[in-house]
Amino acid sequence: MEQLLLIHVFLLLSLSISDFRIIPGAASLGINYGQVGSNLPPPVKVISLIKSLGLSKARIYDTNPEVLTAFANSSIELVVTVENAMLETLADPQQAVQWVNSHIRPYYPATKITGIAVGNEVFTDDDTSLATYVVPAMVNIHAVLAELGFDSNIQVSSPSSLAVLAVSYPPSAGCFRSDLAGVMFQLLHFLQSVEATFWINAYPYFAYKDDPNGVSLDYALFKPNQGMVDPYTKLHYDNMLYAQIDAVIFAIARLGFNGVDVQVSETGWPSKGDPNEIGATTYNAAMYNRNLLRRQLENEGTPLRPSTRLDVYVFALFNEDLKPGPTSERNYGLFHPDCTMTYNIGLSNLLRTPSISSATVALTSSASKGAKEGYQSLVYWTFVYLPAFQVFMARRRL
């Protein structure tokens, strides 16, 4: 009788949340505007280039005053970044006040700052001590924004590398590394409390480069392929990026933060690499970005969250010749520094198709789509909560 009651309670819980939705705001494609180059165009010219593509969102990796000033009244939404070296300083509340007053307040709202990335890939940085400062710095910066009344328009988060996961395949097995579980719990608790997004830098290129015999290139490039079926959820994946995102969603759920939104702060493919960087070609880069953009413009979500359209920031706007590391690091750009195309992905034509808005894509739904998501949500919650019930039942038998 007790088992039957527990099953009924479990089914009621699952069904009550099977219609759960994350309602996205205005969604559009974004571009990462890095500046680690010796011959990049001035910010004013960059604004014209971004607008010519029909894009309305950009992300920079600092708070360069020249960029912030130039982007004033441009209508381009801008995510700025706190450099990793500043994290320890901003863990001090008073330093956070000074930072916001000197790096955000003079430019906002004329410059449409919509996000502050507190560090970048800090949790997998070689300097492991930095991880302890991320959440305190985020809390302090958000508190200052709230005091100024900016917090409703400026989101605070911290982009993570996919390497924060211990397991990413299959997606339903997604979980964070055990050495990061504590700090990831703190990060997610903060994000949930302020209704902010978990930002992930996800690159199928790296998975293909590391295992070209085991990873299908077509699967990595969004090209027609057999795909894979998650053995536990039975969800079908026809591309690696969506599988990576769903693995992150499952990892977050395992820590108890099921409602936190996940968006892509970086993804891209290099057009050139060293001899050992398999797959870094102009053709593959063009295919990846072109197919990704087409998917986004079709309002696609991942198999786990099919009606939640991903915010995607493509990496990157320019090839940057001063970046250290292998050749690929200097060749992710859609453009050369002289503003000529590295390759043509047809972005401006795609965005200007009459049926597609360049800034906002309405989320459409149908009865069949709703039913599909209801089933997938039930699968998701069942997979998340069933182990807890099994543990509970085992304890009752003792």
Side-chain angles (χ1 to χ4, degrees):
M1 180 64 69
E2 284 185 340
Q3 279 187 316
L4 186 61
L5 178 61
L6 284 173
I7 290 171
H8 283 177
V9 171
F10 172 65
L11 288 175
L12 179 62
L13 174 63
S14 298
L15 290 171
S16 68
I17 56 182
S18 66
D19 207 26
F20 176 81
R21 298 288 189 277
I22 296 175
I23 302 174
S28 68
L29 300 167
I31 192 79
N32 284 282
Y33 167 26
Q35 302 157 64
V36 189
S38 61
N39 49 359
L40 298 178
V44 171
K45 191 171 183 179
V46 172
I47 293 170
S48 299
L49 181 61
I50 292 174
K51 287 188 172 182
S52 73
L53 295 172
L55 297 177
S56 63
K57 291 186 176 183
R59 176 185 169 211
I60 60 174
Y61 291 84
D62 53 22
T63 51
N64 185 332
E66 185 182 3
V67 174
L68 293 178
T69 300
F71 274 65
N73 304 310
S74 68
S75 76
I76 295 175
E77 297 180 10
L78 196 64
V79 174
V80 301
T81 303
V82 174
E83 298 95 324
N84 289 2
M86 283 294 297
L87 294 175
E88 182 176 3
T89 299
L90 296 180
D92 178 345
Q94 291 305 313
Q95 292 294 329
V97 171
Q98 293 182 27
W99 186 87
V100 172
N101 282 335
S102 59
H103 292 80
I104 303 297
R105 194 173 184 179
Y107 309 101
Y108 180 83
T111 298
K112 200 173 182 181
I113 300 171
T114 58
I116 299 175
V118 180
N120 186 53
E121 299 189 347
V122 181
F123 303 117
T124 50
D125 194 276
D126 290 338
D127 185 353
T128 56
S129 67
L130 291 176
T132 60
Y133 302 117
V134 176
V135 176
M138 293 171 70
V139 169
N140 292 338
I141 290 171
H142 182 268
V144 181
L145 295 175
E147 183 70 23
L148 295 171
F150 297 169
D151 59 310
S152 60
N153 295 317
I154 302 178
Q155 183 176 157
V156 177
S157 191
S158 184
S160 294
S161 159
L162 199 70
V164 297
L165 296 184
V167 179
S168 61
Y169 181 88
S172 60
C175 63
F176 291 112
R177 286 167 31 187
S178 58
D179 60 315
L180 296 177
V183 70
M184 296 310 295
F185 184 92
Q186 295 172 22
L187 171 65
L188 290 164
H189 183 270
F190 168 80
L191 295 177
Q192 186 179 68
S193 68
V194 299
E195 299 182 353
T197 296
F198 186 95
W199 288 338
I200 190 72
N201 297 344
Y203 289 88
Y205 161 71
F206 291 123
Y208 176 74
K209 177 182 73 71
D210 293 341
D211 186 15
N213 294 321
V215 175
S216 163
L217 182 59
D218 288 345
Y219 181 64
L221 295 177
F222 297 90
K223 295 177 72 176
N225 69 96
Q226 227 175 6
M228 61 83 66
V229 174
D230 188 300
Y232 301 102
T233 64
K234 306 305 179 186
L235 296 177
H236 178 261
Y237 292 85
D238 65 359
N239 71 85
M240 180 173 286
L241 180 66
Y242 289 2
Q244 291 176 336
I245 301 308
D246 279 356
V248 173
I249 294 172
F250 271 106
I252 290 171
R254 279 190 166 81
L255 289 184
F257 299 94
N258 309 305
V260 173
D261 193 18
V262 176
Q263 303 294 349
V264 182
S265 42
E266 284 184 21
T267 192
W269 197 287
S271 60
K272 186 186 298 184
D274 295 321
N276 65 336
E277 294 188 290
I278 298 173
T281 68
T282 300
Y283 174 82
N284 288 344
M287 284 296 100
Y288 181 80
N289 285 315
R290 181 179 300 145
N291 291 334
L292 168 65
L293 297 175
R294 283 175 175 164
R295 295 278 185 130
Q296 292 304 300
L297 291 171
E298 290 170 0
N299 303 326
E300 279 197 352
T302 68
L304 189 59
R305 292 179 174 173
S307 66
T308 300
R309 183 179 182 273
L310 289 174
D311 254 8
V312 174
Y313 284 77
V314 175
F315 189 87
L317 187 58
F318 294 111
N319 285 339
E320 301 168 69
D321 65 337
L322 298 182
K323 293 193 74 173
T327 297
S328 62
E329 286 295 314
R330 295 177 288 282
N331 289 279
Y332 275 90
L334 302 182
F335 291 88
H336 297 291
D338 64 0
C339 294
T340 58
M341 294 181 193
T342 308
Y343 46 83
N344 186 0
I345 60 172
L347 177 58
S348 56
N349 289 336
L350 281 171
L351 288 171
R352 286 172 181 150
T353 300
S355 62
I356 298 172
S357 164
S358 64
T360 305
V361 181
L363 186 63
T364 58
S365 63
S366 65
S368 60
K369 188 173 185 180
K372 179 182 178 184
E373 182 173 324
Y375 165 74
Q376 291 168 337
S377 295
L378 179 58
V379 168
Y380 166 64
W381 288 103
T382 301
F383 190 78
V384 169
Y385 282 109
L386 184 55
F389 275 88
Q390 291 172 332
V391 171
F392 178 78
M393 289 300 301
R395 287 180 177 174
R396 289 188 64 86
R397 294 192 192 103
L398 296 178

